[in-house]
Amino acid sequence: MVNQPLVSIIIPAYRAENTIAFTVRSVLAQTYDHWQVAIGVDDQVDYLQLLAEQGINDPRLKQIFTGGIGSGEAIARNTAVSICDGEILANLDADDAFAPDRLEKLVPLAEKYGVAIDNTGVYNSELVLYKQPFPQRQELSFATAADILSPRIPFFPVFQRQFLGTGWTKVPFAADVLFNLELLSRTEKVAIHPDPLYRYYKRDNSITQSANAFETAEKAYLTILSLLDEGALTLTDTIRQAAHQEFSENLALNKVFRRYMKEGRCQNLEQFLDMTNNGQQIEFAAHPN
């Protein structure tokens, strides 16, 4: 490619010793090679040294420390931005991966429309792709607020730095959702590539897999609703209203999730969402034939 823009890939790292090499190798394998990685270290681990010990040495890799431990993904990402040189930014979690052609396919869309995401591929603990947010889509489309809110699957944008705003808002859970809604509010168009170019792996230590997911989610939803009520997020009125309705419904659904956990119907939030189709089949699940 000619005149490739530099892409800064932001990786927040907390207790990522066992996965980050896998993640970084997926970046090294990109067919688009004008990139840098900015690791936001949130646990005081020297990840560059750890990567070097596993044979990964590349001058395009750098890191910065948040100064805390477990400060949260928002702070880690915002800290990482301070060492990013790229005009295009991309999100990547420290236990996920990019398909080899992800940047090649999404960077041109980000250049044209401002923001691009893809049809996130969700992989189970056996590393098998088992769901996507938009399984029927086969062509380029553009996101609505409902597209970002309803699937309960995260999206990892590739976007022009000019649309960063103030960065990610610190909340216990769903900081990525709020940020993506703000991107949509700023650009009006978020392109969705139909392929599952982001590989999102369900890990045993993730929030949705944890035994205390109910408490974390309830705290997050209440915090988010307060932020929406206060007008603290950069959202259009239409997107703010859609977000308020969705997170209000999620708060109510979270109580059903707690009941399912107590009754032994599920072991974690991810299992609950899968068995009830994100809560849309509660009555059927509660009263099977």
Side-chain angles (χ1 to χ4, degrees):
M1 281 184 205
V2 181
N3 298 323
Q4 290 182 328
L6 176 63
V7 179
S8 293
I9 302 164
I10 298 166
I11 301 179
Y14 173 68
R15 294 181 179 175
E17 295 95 328
N18 296 328
T19 60
I20 196 167
F22 166 80
T23 297
V24 170
R25 286 193 176 101
S26 80
V27 178
L28 293 168
Q30 289 299 295
T31 54
Y32 183 105
D33 61 7
H34 195 201
W35 53 260
Q36 63 178 192
V37 165
I39 303 171
V41 181
D42 198 29
D43 55 8
Q44 300 184 357
V45 172
D46 186 341
Y47 283 102
L48 293 185
Q49 178 62 35
L50 185 149
L51 290 168
E53 290 169 358
Q54 298 184 56
I56 301 175
N57 290 284
D58 194 298
R60 294 172 293 180
L61 306 178
K62 52 187 181 176
Q63 67 184 6
I64 184 171
F65 294 83
T66 65
I69 298 177
S71 310
E73 60 173 310
I75 290 177
R77 284 177 174 150
N78 290 335
T79 301
V81 166
S82 68
I83 59 168
C84 289
D85 303 308
E87 58 192 275
I88 301 288
L89 303 179
N91 278 348
L92 174 59
D93 280 354
D95 55 358
D96 293 336
F98 284 173
D101 56 350
R102 186 172 196 257
L103 292 181
E104 179 184 340
K105 289 182 174 179
L106 293 193
V107 169
L109 294 177
E111 285 189 283
K112 184 173 183 178
Y113 300 109
V115 185
I117 58 177
D118 60 79
N119 207 349
T120 307
V122 183
Y123 289 72
N124 61 21
S125 56
E126 285 76 45
L127 307 185
V128 174
L129 174 65
Y130 81 102
K131 68 177 179 178
Q132 299 168 227
F134 313 116
Q136 306 304 320
R137 297 192 192 184
Q138 299 180 354
E139 298 180 348
L140 180 71
S141 59
F142 296 94
T144 64
D147 287 333
I148 293 172
L149 288 162
S150 299
R152 302 291 289 267
I153 293 173
F155 298 101
F156 298 82
V158 176
F159 61 98
Q160 294 179 26
R161 187 177 189 139
Q162 63 176 306
F163 299 118
L164 175 67
T166 57
W168 289 263
T169 301
K170 180 174 172 56
V171 288
F173 174 55
D176 58 322
V177 178
L178 299 183
F179 183 74
N180 292 339
L181 290 173
E182 289 188 301
L183 282 178
L184 179 58
S185 294
R186 294 182 190 118
T187 63
E188 298 183 356
K189 274 198 171 182
V190 171
I192 306 176
H193 195 287
D195 294 342
L197 303 171
Y198 189 96
R199 297 171 178 174
Y200 176 62
Y201 293 93
K202 287 297 179 183
R203 308 285 183 177
D204 291 339
N205 61 347
S206 68
I207 292 175
T208 56
Q209 300 280 68
S210 69
N212 65 343
F214 166 79
E215 289 82 3
T216 302
E218 181 175 54
K219 182 179 179 181
Y221 297 148
L222 290 171
T223 300
I224 291 168
L225 288 169
S226 293
L227 290 170
L228 292 169
D229 288 338
E230 295 164 5
L233 302 168
T234 308
L235 302 173
T236 66
D237 289 341
T238 300
I239 292 175
R240 188 183 308 279
Q241 290 169 11
H244 201 285
Q245 179 177 339
E246 181 71 21
F247 284 110
S248 295
E249 292 173 358
N250 289 349
L251 183 61
L253 184 63
N254 201 46
K255 299 185 188 309
V256 182
F257 163 56
R258 179 174 60 176
R259 173 163 60 85
Y260 271 46
M261 286 280 286
K262 287 183 176 179
E263 294 173 355
R265 299 190 192 191
C266 62
Q267 265 105 56
N268 53 59
L269 179 57
E270 190 64 31
Q271 191 178 89
F272 169 75
L273 293 173
D274 284 346
M275 70 187 290
T276 63
N277 189 23
N278 290 349
Q280 296 178 30
Q281 297 174 345
I282 291 295
E283 290 303 313
F284 175 80
H287 305 290
N289 293 328

